[in-house]
Amino acid sequence: MPCMFPLREEPESFLETAPWIFRSELELDVSAETCFQILLDDNAWSIWHPEVTNIQWQTPKPVQKGSVRTVLYKDWLSYLLLGGPITMEEKYDTFDGGGATKKF
C-alpha cells in the first residue's frame, strides 16, 4: 500500500528548515528557459531520467501557479526498499512562465 502525504503550502524559508534537506548542484550548458522547457516536457523525461515511467497532470495545462502533476518512478531501489514504484506529486507554488528564473 502506498504511503501518501498530503501536499501543503509552506513558506520559502521551509527549504532551509525542513526536517530533511537534500541538496544537489549541477551546472548545465543551457539557458534557464531551455532547462525549464525540458523539465516541463513530459516526453523528455524518459530520455534524461529513464526511471520515470509515467507523468500525469492533475490540473490542465498550461502550467501555472497551483498546477499539480504526479510522476511515477520505477527503479530497482524503490522495489528493493519499498516493494514498488515511487510516486511523487509536484505542486507549482510559484511559476513565472515568461522570465528566465522559475521556481517550482
Side-chain angles (χ1 to χ4, degrees):
M1 171 169 253
C3 180
M4 296 291 287
F5 299 95
L7 290 174
R8 65 177 186 241
E9 195 164 331
E10 296 285 350
E12 198 165 326
S13 62
F14 181 75
L15 297 175
E16 300 300 325
T17 61
W20 296 333
I21 298 175
F22 300 92
R23 297 181 195 267
S24 179
E25 191 171 315
L26 177 68
E27 194 167 321
L28 301 172
D29 190 22
V30 297
S31 68
E33 187 64 36
T34 299
C35 179
F36 277 92
Q37 285 175 358
I38 293 168
L39 286 173
L40 293 174
D41 180 355
D42 299 343
N43 296 319
W45 280 73
S46 62
I47 296 168
W48 66 272
H49 200 325
E51 291 82 14
V52 172
T53 59
N54 192 12
I55 296 176
Q56 296 177 341
W57 285 91
Q58 309 306 319
T59 54
K61 288 184 178 180
V63 177
Q64 57 190 343
K65 181 177 179 176
S67 294
V68 177
R69 72 176 171 186
T70 302
V71 180
L72 181 68
Y73 293 86
K74 180 181 177 185
D75 61 11
W76 66 270
L77 187 58
S78 64
Y79 276 90
L80 179 67
L81 297 176
L82 305 172
I86 298 170
T87 301
M88 175 182 69
E89 191 169 276
E90 299 174 324
K91 180 179 179 188
Y92 296 79
D93 290 323
T94 305
F95 187 84
D96 175 10
T101 302
K102 300 181 179 72
K103 299 186 293 185
F104 62 91

